Structure formats: structure tokens, C-alpha cells
Amino acid sequence: MSDTEERAPLITPALPSNRSDYGTGDNARDAMSKFVVNNVAGESGRKLPQYIAGLAASGGALAAGTFLGWTAPTDKPLTEQGEYGFPISDEQFSWIGSISNLGAALMCFPIGYMMKMIGRKWSMLTMVLPLVLGWLLIIFAENVAMMMVGRLFLGIGGGAFCVAAPTYTAEIAQPSIRGTLGTFFQLMVTVGILFVYAVGAGVDVQVLSIICGVIPLAFGVIFFFMPESPYYFVEKGRYSEASSSLKWLRGAQYDEAAEIEDLKQADEKVKAEAIPMLVAFRQKATIRALIISLGLMFFQQLSGINAVIFYNSAIFASANGGKEMSSASIIVGGIQVVATLVASAVVDKVGRRILLLASDLMMAVSTILLAVYFQLKQDDPSKVDDLSWLAVLAVCLFIAMFSIGYGPVPWLMVGELFANNVKAFASPLAGVFNWLLAFLVTKVFTNLKDAMGEAGVFWLFSGISLLGTVFVFVMVPETKGKSLSDIQRLLAGEKLNSEQVSVEAREEERVPQVA
């Protein structure tokens, strides 16, 4: 695997028209979705249209996954084989790989304002433009500068999707399927990364970039026919359009009056409780939520994920008799997808805190094993001839445990820890911090490796993961099964009555989620 696969982050920070024609085709859509009629906790309406809209929105996550994974299969062809006809040094490629993180960080706040001004749907459709422009600059690049600008545009578009798509999905889904639809985004990001790894193993860089450039176009065509978030229409006082949107999402026979009323009340509550940023950050609950969120982002990015991805090709080659395995990155991508599926299935059963503790502890164990492996290899390469299997096991274990816990859970908890009246500016702050850390780690990792050696890097990351385990144990509360108001009281230092918690959690689950 290339020496910059660490520049393909496995996570992504995860934050926060006229509808008169949407009614056409309702009968066909209803016929198609009759078999998924569901009634849970008083819910009615079709579920299939919501799954369709959720999957369509997650097409943006697929596009984001392709730009995150692109650097892995393109490093050697560009830096060593000169596929594009102009020289690219390792230092220049480190900028090509990392600058997209800066583009993503730049969009965390602006996309929130865009979603309020022009809606969730059109904000995502607008982001097709920087994605297509970015891929065109890369496809027809004549120098390093064109590639860097292209990657910056990809970061802008992909980073915006990381905020807008989860928001849209949460707002269109009924409570009984909101959790399932919420997992689509992270899953599709990992599928996008795996897709690039697999295709990149068989085609040159330009063909790979052309294929990646088609994905946002396909997303735009499909998502154009999806409805706008009904909450956006309520937010703007456009209630008839909100009604049409709900009819599309729930079926033509759905009585949307009660849900429209719930959306109105949720919107009024958010507006009534709005407070200035400086006032919010004087509140104990907000301060603690910010410390936890930024701490989780810090330990996520400095867990060693980039180092493990960087070295997995060499480790797999060592286990393969010294021959490089082109399938190494595909194996890693496959583990990501499977582990993310597992995480989506157990996060609401096991709990966030347990997953984080188990994830960080096992990542520490994995990096300790890798540190010992590289230390022995440095002292006497013959000592590790029979230990390659252990290093491969450590890599696979690390990737799996990261994807189950520290990959997706910090983003999930950011959405739970902040009160609705501070979420609009607190969640993007956590996103900016994460993307900036991703830029820093991917940019300086090679320098860190040169200064400390391979073993030293893994000893450092194992120590950070152990500190992260302590941080979770001491600072991070369990949010599973608690309402947002319960979580705020918990963060403020209040003790909760377990019976009251369960009642309020059930009641809050019925209330529509808002951005």
C-alpha cells in the first residue's frame, strides 16, 4: 500500500423548490411500499419512501468516501511512476492528500447557514458543483497546483455533505426508523472508501478520478427528485409545502396534521430557547459537553488510525513472504464496512460508553503489539520472521475496533450532548476541530515517523489511546436511553431518577428531530 494511505481518514467528522410536482406518481409509490406499512408507538404511514430518500441523501456520503480514500491507490502512480507527466514529490503529495481536510473545515459553519437559507435539499444539490469541479481539476491537472485546488474543492463539497446529509436524514425519518437511517451515512462513507480501494487497484489514476467524478453527478440526478425536509418548510412558514413533503415521505393516505403541529411546536421551542453563543458557553452543561466532544475528536484523530493504515501494506507484504499485496487496502476497507454495520446494530443496545472504552483499550493493545513488532524488526529483522501473523492480526483488530467505537460514536455523541439551543454553533465547532486535527495528523505524520522511527510512533499512539480510555472512563457519560433534557441535567451535575429518565426518553423520541 502507498506511503500516504494515512492521508485517507477512515472517518469523517459527522455533525448538523417548488413542491407542487412532488405529488405525481403517488399511487405507484404507495403500491410499491404497501408491504412496509408499520405502526410503532402510534406511527402510521409508509416507510419505504423514507428509506429511498435516506439512501438518496447518503449518495453524498458515497461521494465523500471516494475523495477520502482516493490518496491510497494514487500515491505511488503519481509520486514514483509519474502517470500525469509532471513530477510530484512526497512532500507535495502530502499537501495534495491533506488539503481536502482544510476545505472540509471551512464548510462546517457556512453549510449550516445555507441549510437555513435555501433548505437541506438544495444545499446538498449545490455541493455537487464543487465536487464535480474538484474532480475535473484533478482529471485534467497539468501541475501540482491544479491537483491541490481540486482536492480543496473536494473537501469543501464532501465536508458539507458530512453536515447536511445526517441533518436531512434525521428530519425526514419517523422515530422508529430514524436510528437505522442515521447509520446509512457512515456506512456509505466506508463503502465509498472501499469502492476507491477496489477500483484503484485495477485502473490508472485518471480513469479512477473520472469514475469518482461521475458519482456526485449521479447523486444530483437522483436526489433532485427527493422532497425537501418538512422541518425546513415549517421553519419558513410554508406549511402547505411541508404537508406535500410529508405526503411524499409517508404516503398519500397519511394524515400529516398532527406531525405538522409537532414540527411547529419543536420550531417554536428552538426559537424561544435561542441564546447567544457567549451566554451558552457560560453554562456548566455546555462547557462539559464541549470538553467531552473536543476530547473525543482529539483521541479519535490521534488514536493511530493513520499510522496503522500507513503500515498495513508493509505488514501484509511481510506476512506474504515479502511480496506486496495489492489486496491489502481492500481487506482493510472491507473490515471497515463490516465493523460499521456491527456498530450500527449494537450502539443502541450496548451503549456508547462501553463501545468507546472497548474500542480505545483494544486499539491501545493493537498499537503496543505493532510497536513491539517494529522494535524487534529494527533490532534484528530475523526476529520477526515468524511473527508476521501477529502484526497482521493487530492491524485487523485495530481497524475493526476503531470502526466499531471511536470511528462513528464521537459523531453520534456530539449530536446528543449539546442542547438544541446551542447545537447550531457547538456541533460545527467540533467538526472544525476534527477536520483540522485530521489535516495536522495527515500532514505531519511522515515527519513524525522520520523523527521517532516506526516503533516510536506506535508507542506514542498506544500511550494516547490509553489516555483516551481514561478520558472516556472519567469524563464521558452514557447517553443511551436518555432524553436530551436528561443528558443536559446529567452534564450539569444533577442526579437522575431512573423511572423519570425512561418516561422522558419515550416522550422525547416522539418529538421530531431538528437541526
Side-chain angles (χ1 to χ4, degrees):
M1 187 176 290
S2 63
D3 65 347
T4 50
E5 286 199 48
E6 82 282 5
R7 298 171 194 133
L10 293 188
I11 56 86
T12 64
L15 292 173
S17 61
N18 188 324
R19 281 289 292 102
S20 62
D21 60 329
Y22 287 158
T24 60
D26 279 335
N27 291 335
R29 203 163 37 247
D30 289 342
M32 178 174 62
S33 59
K34 280 180 180 178
F35 68 96
V36 286
V37 174
N38 195 1
N39 284 278
V40 179
E43 285 182 5
S44 63
R46 314 302 187 194
K47 299 299 184 292
L48 183 58
Q50 298 171 59
Y51 281 108
I52 293 172
L55 279 172
S58 296
L62 183 67
T66 58
F67 96 79
L68 289 172
W70 180 85
T71 53
T74 60
D75 177 20
K76 285 187 178 180
L78 291 177
T79 59
E80 297 180 10
Q81 300 167 15
E83 277 194 9
Y84 266 56
F86 55 86
I88 301 175
S89 67
D90 288 340
E91 176 66 16
Q92 289 171 326
F93 194 81
S94 74
W95 279 104
I96 291 171
S98 61
I99 199 170
S100 58
N101 295 310
L102 289 183
L106 287 173
M107 281 305 296
C108 285
F109 282 100
I111 190 62
Y113 291 107
M114 284 183 64
M115 288 192 296
K116 289 187 178 297
M117 290 175 60
I118 64 175
R120 287 61 161 152
K121 173 183 175 178
W122 285 102
S123 293
M124 285 192 279
L125 288 175
T126 301
M127 287 303 105
V128 171
L129 296 177
L131 286 173
V132 172
L133 178 59
W135 285 120
L136 285 174
L137 285 169
I138 291 173
I139 291 166
F140 298 106
E142 296 181 354
N143 50 55
V144 172
M146 284 183 68
M147 279 201 167
M148 288 181 62
V149 174
R151 289 284 296 173
L152 182 68
F153 276 113
L154 291 179
I156 288 172
F161 273 120
C162 291
V163 176
T167 299
Y168 175 85
T169 301
E171 291 180 355
I172 66 168
Q174 290 176 293
S176 65
I177 61 171
R178 187 177 293 134
T180 301
L181 263 62
T183 65
F184 285 177
F185 184 83
Q186 182 67 22
L187 179 62
M188 292 299 281
V189 168
T190 60
V191 169
I193 294 172
L194 175 59
F195 174 80
V196 170
Y197 286 174
V199 175
V203 301
D204 62 35
V205 176
Q206 193 168 48
V207 172
L208 174 64
S209 301
I210 291 171
I211 293 171
C212 290
V214 171
I215 292 176
L217 290 173
F219 160 80
V221 171
I222 294 170
F223 195 64
F224 178 80
F225 297 99
M226 298 300 111
E228 176 59 88
S229 161
Y231 179 74
Y232 168 73
F233 286 134
V234 169
E235 198 175 44
K236 297 298 183 182
R238 294 154 62 177
Y239 302 123
S240 62
E241 290 169 284
S243 175
S244 298
S245 180
L246 285 172
K247 289 283 190 183
W248 195 104
L249 292 163
R250 315 285 192 256
Q253 305 305 315
Y254 179 70
D255 183 0
E256 76 283 5
E259 188 167 352
I260 291 285
E261 192 58 37
D262 281 344
L263 287 168
K264 287 182 184 179
Q265 292 177 7
D267 180 51
E268 291 169 0
K269 183 179 180 182
V270 169
K271 291 176 179 176
E273 294 178 351
I275 57 176
M277 184 187 299
L278 293 178
V279 174
F281 286 119
R282 294 194 192 107
Q283 298 175 344
K284 182 178 179 180
T286 304
I287 293 172
R288 189 178 173 196
L290 187 64
I291 291 171
I292 293 170
S293 297
L294 297 186
L296 290 175
M297 296 305 179
F298 176 84
F299 288 112
Q300 180 197 69
Q301 285 296 334
L302 274 75
S303 64
I305 184 62
N306 297 303
V308 172
I309 293 300
F310 180 86
Y311 282 109
N312 79 67
S313 180
I315 292 169
F316 275 72
S318 177
N320 194 40
K323 298 178 181 178
E324 185 170 341
M325 290 178 61
S326 60
S327 60
S329 60
I330 300 174
I331 293 171
V332 168
I335 292 173
Q336 284 185 78
V337 173
V338 173
T340 303
L341 280 171
V342 172
S344 66
V346 302
V347 69
D348 283 325
K349 299 175 182 176
V350 176
R352 289 76 160 135
R353 181 178 159 90
I354 295 297
L355 285 179
L356 287 171
L357 286 170
S359 173
D360 221 6
L361 183 60
M362 294 310 297
M363 286 192 299
V365 171
S366 300
T367 46
I368 288 172
L369 290 174
L370 289 169
V372 170
Y373 174 84
F374 279 106
Q375 189 69 58
L376 291 172
K377 187 175 182 180
Q378 178 182 315
D379 296 339
D380 182 2
S382 64
K383 291 181 180 179
V384 298
D385 287 343
D386 297 326
L387 291 177
S388 296
W389 65 270
L390 183 61
V392 170
L393 177 64
V395 168
C396 295
L397 178 63
F398 185 98
I399 297 296
M401 294 310 297
F402 177 88
S403 300
I404 285 175
Y406 249 97
V409 172
W411 292 107
L412 173 63
M413 293 199 71
V414 165
E416 295 177 327
L417 290 172
F418 292 107
N420 281 330
N421 59 347
V422 301
K423 197 173 291 185
F425 45 81
S427 295
L429 185 62
V432 169
F433 185 68
N434 185 282
W435 284 112
L436 290 178
L437 279 175
F439 167 76
L440 180 66
V441 171
T442 54
K443 184 66 188 72
V444 306
F445 175 75
T446 302
N447 307 98
L448 192 65
K449 179 197 69 172
D450 293 340
M452 301 181 65
E454 291 125 333
V457 167
F458 283 108
W459 283 122
L460 173 64
F461 287 134
S462 64
I464 292 174
S465 289
L466 288 173
L467 285 176
T469 305
V470 174
F471 174 81
V472 172
F473 184 80
V474 174
M475 292 293 297
V476 180
E478 180 55 74
T479 58
K480 178 179 76 75
K482 295 182 177 66
S483 68
L484 294 179
S485 57
D486 288 332
I487 294 169
Q488 290 308 299
R489 292 202 300 270
L490 189 65
L491 292 172
E494 298 180 26
K495 291 187 177 181
L496 304 180
N497 180 294
S498 59
E499 184 177 341
Q500 183 182 13
V501 166
S502 60
V503 171
E504 291 194 9
R506 286 195 301 270
E507 177 62 23
E508 194 165 280
E509 187 184 46
R510 192 181 62 84
V511 179
Q513 297 292 303
V514 298

